[in-house]
Amino acid sequence: MTLTVREFAPSDAEAAAAVRRAAVPFLLSTAESIAWEAAHSPAEQRFRILVAEADGRVIGVARAGLYHDSAVPGRAFAQPYVLPEERGRGAGLALVRAAEEYLRGIGARAVYAWVLDDGHAPGFAERRGYQRRRPSRLQRLDLVRTPLPDLAPDAGVELRAFADFADDPRPLYETDVEAIADEPGDVAFSGITYENWLEETWRVPLLDRDLSTAAVVDGTVASIAIAHSDGRTRYLSAGTGTRRAYRGRGLAKLVKARSLRLARAAGRTEAFTGNDDENAPMLAVNKWFGYEPTAAEWRYVRELSGSATAREGAPEA
């Protein structure tokens, strides 16, 4: 096998999306979304997609870039994906090495990755010198068989689709940024500009503005449920949050219930979500809806500076 790692080209979009879908089935990935991310990520992110090719066939991809919204400089991410049937042939290790080299060259000092708890990936990460940090739970909801609550908004609360904000989505941005700031995580959030939010959230092809829902209270967008869809059968919760002044009123359940019911009416048959283990409020909300565990993953980090080195002789992935 002749294995090469190179930069992504637009013609790789379909193959790259197929790799991601096969490697992590609960993620939504389309050729359009891959191409959009490659072309429209914020300049400060220094984003790259790397492709592992064996004998002319794309068998792996990796996403790499800086956390441009981190309060601490030098934080970066490297996320490899390899076709399940191609594991053990060195593509994963080649992608990670190339991603780390690129990130080191643009000033990254620590690289973060989400690693599936599948009995294989954690060992690969640890042999490469990555250290385990925090867990996350991935969950699935059967939209065909699971009863969904039909919650009615209280007086003064209006439920609106994101599509209603097409002329001015800034109120959605303001609510999203406030909610993100309070999410648990290991990369401190420093905020995001409105223009970057438009590129990373509002304009992405996976965003379904008809299914995404906002609760408006006295003219203020108080809570939002961001819905991604592959346009076929799958739905992904890409963020549910409520502004601080409106928490404790059941608004997160309200917007998510409406979004899920709309998704089912639109022909979506399964919904996915993921929550940090410390995000107790959303874990409780998703359990209440009937989401069931489908996988687990761990956050890993590797320091690119200092004396720590990986055991380069470890088996390849």
Side-chain angles (χ1 to χ4, degrees):
M1 178 184 75
T2 302
L3 178 68
T4 59
V5 174
R6 57 174 175 79
E7 287 210 21
F8 170 88
S11 58
D12 297 319
E14 188 62 60
V19 168
R20 289 191 66 190
R21 287 195 299 268
V24 193
F26 44 81
L27 285 182
L28 301 190
S29 188
T30 65
E32 186 181 14
S33 69
I34 293 282
W36 173 271
E37 187 178 39
H40 296 278
S41 292
E44 309 97 299
Q45 193 176 56
R46 307 290 294 275
F47 181 74
R48 291 291 185 276
I49 297 177
L50 301 173
V51 172
E53 193 174 59
D55 300 328
R57 176 176 175 241
V58 174
I59 66 169
V61 296
R63 303 169 64 257
L66 299 173
Y67 282 112
H68 64 291
D69 53 5
S70 169
V72 180
R75 298 293 185 260
F77 59 89
Q79 200 69 49
Y81 308 93
V82 177
L83 288 172
E85 67 270 20
E86 299 292 343
R87 291 173 183 164
R89 304 179 68 182
L93 183 58
L95 284 166
V96 170
R97 283 175 170 165
E100 289 174 349
E101 181 179 2
Y102 167 69
L103 293 171
R104 188 180 285 109
I106 60 173
R109 299 180 62 186
V111 182
Y112 292 80
W114 284 108
V115 176
L116 276 176
D117 193 2
D118 61 0
H120 165 78
F124 167 71
E126 289 161 14
R127 290 190 296 270
R128 182 63 190 160
Y130 284 77
Q131 297 180 342
R132 180 178 291 196
R133 291 289 177 87
R134 58 199 304 122
S136 176
R137 304 182 204 179
L138 303 163
Q139 301 142 80
R140 176 184 179 275
L141 180 68
D142 186 331
L143 286 175
V144 176
R145 296 177 177 86
T146 306
L148 294 175
D150 188 9
L151 303 180
D154 293 337
V157 179
E158 179 187 7
L159 296 180
R160 299 174 61 187
F162 274 28
D164 296 340
F165 296 84
D167 292 337
D168 180 20
R170 184 177 285 273
L172 302 174
Y173 156 76
E174 293 169 351
T175 300
D176 193 22
V177 169
E178 185 171 316
I180 291 172
D182 293 337
E183 289 183 355
D186 46 18
V187 178
F189 179 66
S190 65
I192 182 173
T193 67
Y194 180 53
E195 185 55 40
N196 280 349
W197 181 86
L198 290 174
E199 291 294 302
E200 294 180 88
T201 301
W202 183 249
R203 296 176 183 145
V204 297
L206 291 174
L207 178 67
D208 193 315
R209 298 183 188 178
D210 293 322
L211 305 184
S212 300
T213 300
V216 180
V217 181
D218 299 327
T220 297
V221 173
S223 186
I224 57 173
I226 302 174
H228 283 186
S229 172
D230 64 1
R232 297 186 291 274
T233 62
R234 292 187 162 201
Y235 168 106
L236 175 72
S237 292
T240 302
T242 303
R243 301 195 74 152
R244 298 182 189 99
Y246 296 91
R247 292 173 188 169
R249 298 173 56 173
L251 295 177
K253 284 184 176 179
L254 186 66
V255 292
K256 189 156 189 171
R258 180 181 185 272
S259 183
L260 288 169
R261 291 179 69 86
L262 289 172
R264 185 169 64 183
R268 310 298 178 262
T269 59
E270 52 185 349
F272 295 89
T273 191
N275 299 117
D276 188 284
D277 256 24
E278 292 184 10
N279 195 346
M282 281 312 303
L283 284 168
V285 166
N286 289 325
K287 184 177 180 179
W288 182 80
F289 275 108
Y291 279 86
E292 296 181 347
T294 187
E297 58 184 359
W298 290 90
R299 184 73 148 175
Y300 275 79
V301 62
R302 183 187 183 194
E303 300 292 335
L304 291 184
S305 59
S307 59
T309 58
R311 297 195 293 275
E312 296 288 350
E316 297 188 353

